[in-house]
Amino acid sequence: MDNMLDYIKWRGDLGFSAAPFTEVDNLIFSDFSYLDFTGIVPESFDKSVTLNEAVKTCGNRCDEEVSLGVLVPDDITKMAHMMAESRRFGSVKLSGYVNRINEETGLQFSALTCTLEDGTVCVVYRGTDDTLVGWKESFALSYSKVIPSHGEALEYMKKAALSTSLPLRVMGHSKGGNLAVFASAFSSAETQARIIGIYNNDGPGFNGDIRQTEGYRRIKGKLHTLVPQSSVVGMLLEHEEDYTVVKSKNHTGIMSHNGFSWELDGPSFYHLDDISAGGHLVDDTLKHWFSEMDDRQREKFVDALFSVLEVTGAKTLTELNQPKNAGAIMKAVQNMDQETKEIISKTFSLLFQASKKSIAGRTGKRSLFRNM
């Protein structure tokens, strides 16, 4: 059950020239991007600091006892210190750090650029952090072809590509993986030609319109989509490209989204032939659910759901997860207007019906195979 921390212990004394970049390195950088390096890593691409310097300077923000949020793995801070002390990661040059939150536009976006000793550059997009605005933006992927972070990701990609002539890798975890694919798909043909790998680590896919664009077609062969065996987030929307299923020690839905639960097989993750039966059930349920609702209905549901959460005054999931907020949420539900109540009730009813259909469908398939 070795994971990324064990990989750093084992591989940490080898530079990228001696031991080439792997899919595990990709997830390490993707998770590293969840740390706050505001004022430490330059926003400019013309200046840089080493990863070792950045971690040593970030103080309390990189303290191993500090929580990064309800659903952001605490092991990231421990991993960062191990990276800083290793030969493989310590000398990596960090630049182009941005971290933007805009509640009015519904934006949560962060990215940084890592220059490796092997003469390649990693453009890394952060996934959904602990902020409620970040989660609402991620929910918006269910009804909107383009979310605010997509535009930011593309603009960032343009600047990163202009800042160097080196080959590029693009990556991210969760929503960050979706941003990595989007930014790559809509980059210029010249930039796309320099991209040597695009990594989507259990991030949502895209609707058919985006997957049919010429830019997406050009980069499709460079995509590496990794999903754990019980994937929930990574099975949202569509993945036209082949995806690699990774064994996770957490077999229960959303918990397998944590990359530290992904098991190693040497310098790579342990690959499986297919997602689990539970993963298929979730995938079937979500597809049934989405097919029963149009974009406008999904948007109304997301707005209604977050209007309830926002009455608490909480800005993050951590703040929301306080006992005192339970009463405020219940009161907000009771005071909802009739239309909003009907939207939420109907949406959850559709989810329940989709779940029943999926269970029946999966049971029928299993029965069929047993009788063959």
Side-chain angles (χ1 to χ4, degrees):
M1 291 190 180
D2 290 348
N3 64 13
M4 291 187 290
L5 299 180
D6 299 294
Y7 177 90
I8 297 172
K9 292 177 185 176
W10 168 55
R11 206 86 163 178
D13 61 338
L14 298 174
F16 286 97
S17 296
F21 187 92
T22 72
E23 63 185 18
V24 183
D25 293 307
N26 133 68
L27 184 57
I28 287 173
F29 281 121
S30 296
D31 270 5
F32 179 78
S33 72
Y34 281 99
L35 291 169
D36 180 10
F37 289 112
T38 304
I40 297 171
V41 175
E43 185 170 345
S44 167
F45 291 95
D46 297 329
K47 300 177 181 178
S48 67
V49 295
T50 66
L51 188 147
N52 178 280
E53 293 169 337
V55 172
K56 286 185 176 179
T57 308
C58 73
N60 292 339
R61 283 178 272 173
C62 293
D63 193 307
E64 291 187 29
E65 301 303 317
V66 172
S67 173
L68 299 177
V70 173
L71 294 177
V72 181
D74 291 337
D75 279 335
I76 289 176
T77 51
K78 180 178 181 180
M79 180 188 75
H81 285 283
M82 292 175 64
M83 294 170 70
E85 296 302 320
S86 72
R87 178 171 178 242
R88 186 171 186 80
F89 299 102
S91 61
V92 169
K93 295 180 180 179
L94 307 180
S95 62
Y97 178 78
V98 297
N99 185 23
R100 299 182 184 129
I101 301 288
N102 189 321
E103 294 183 10
E104 291 185 6
T105 62
L107 169 74
Q108 175 256 315
F109 174 78
S110 182
L112 81 162
T113 294
C114 309
T115 303
L116 313 187
E117 65 161 302
D118 66 353
T120 62
V121 170
C122 294
V123 178
V124 189
Y125 294 102
R126 179 187 295 174
T128 308
D129 61 14
D130 196 42
T131 61
L132 283 184
V133 65
W135 280 94
K136 187 174 182 180
E137 184 185 36
S138 294
F139 271 64
L141 284 168
S142 69
Y143 60 80
S144 180
K145 297 174 185 176
V146 178
I147 58 175
S149 282
H150 282 149
E152 294 282 338
L154 180 56
E155 188 61 28
Y156 185 90
M157 185 70 179
K158 290 178 181 177
K159 292 177 180 178
L162 284 173
S163 71
T164 180
S165 59
L166 297 174
L168 305 168
R169 294 186 182 92
V170 194
M171 63 205 65
H173 171 258
S174 193
K175 183 183 75 175
N178 177 278
L179 298 182
V181 178
F182 183 93
S184 301
F186 288 92
S187 290
S188 67
E190 291 77 15
T191 296
Q192 289 179 332
R194 291 168 51 201
I195 296 175
I196 56 178
I198 305 158
Y199 297 84
N200 182 356
N201 300 285
D202 203 31
F206 295 91
N207 62 34
D209 290 348
I210 289 178
R211 289 184 288 110
Q212 295 303 318
T213 62
E214 184 179 346
Y216 184 93
R217 294 292 186 189
R218 284 198 298 262
I219 56 99
K220 182 181 171 184
K222 300 179 181 183
L223 297 182
H224 303 274
T225 301
L226 305 174
V227 299
Q229 64 201 74
S230 301
S231 176
V232 174
V233 179
M235 300 311 292
L236 293 173
L237 303 179
E238 298 289 341
H239 287 286
E240 185 179 77
E241 76 280 5
D242 293 333
Y243 54 80
T244 299
V245 181
V246 175
K247 185 178 182 182
S248 167
K249 67 179 180 181
N250 290 331
H251 303 299
T252 52
I254 194 66
M255 299 307 295
S256 67
H257 192 54
N258 180 344
F260 289 92
S261 73
W262 297 9
E263 298 183 25
L264 298 186
D265 182 16
S268 300
F269 291 114
Y270 192 110
H271 295 174
L272 300 174
D273 293 334
D274 198 1
I275 59 175
S276 66
H280 276 296
L281 182 61
V282 169
D283 190 27
D284 292 344
T285 298
L286 291 173
K287 284 181 170 58
H288 280 305
W289 188 34
F290 274 65
S291 68
E292 295 293 328
M293 302 170 66
D294 60 29
D295 290 345
R296 181 59 185 149
Q297 288 173 309
R298 295 182 204 129
E299 183 177 6
K300 284 184 176 180
F301 168 69
V302 171
D303 287 341
L305 175 63
F306 278 86
S307 69
V308 171
L309 302 180
E310 287 163 1
V311 299
T312 64
K315 299 295 184 182
T316 66
L317 289 181
T318 299
E319 293 174 3
L320 186 67
N321 195 35
Q322 301 298 317
K324 65 178 182 179
N325 287 324
I329 292 173
M330 291 299 295
K331 185 177 180 180
V333 171
Q334 293 171 357
N335 293 334
M336 282 190 298
D337 60 76
Q338 190 59 35
E339 181 184 4
T340 304
K341 285 182 180 179
E342 289 177 358
I343 290 169
I344 291 180
S345 176
K346 181 179 180 181
T347 303
F348 280 113
S349 175
L350 288 172
L351 178 59
F352 177 70
Q353 293 301 320
S355 178
K356 286 175 62 178
K357 289 180 183 178
S358 299
I359 291 172
R362 300 302 303 174
T363 302
K365 289 174 184 176
R366 288 196 295 273
S367 298
L368 175 63
F369 288 131
R370 280 201 299 267
N371 294 331
M372 287 180 68

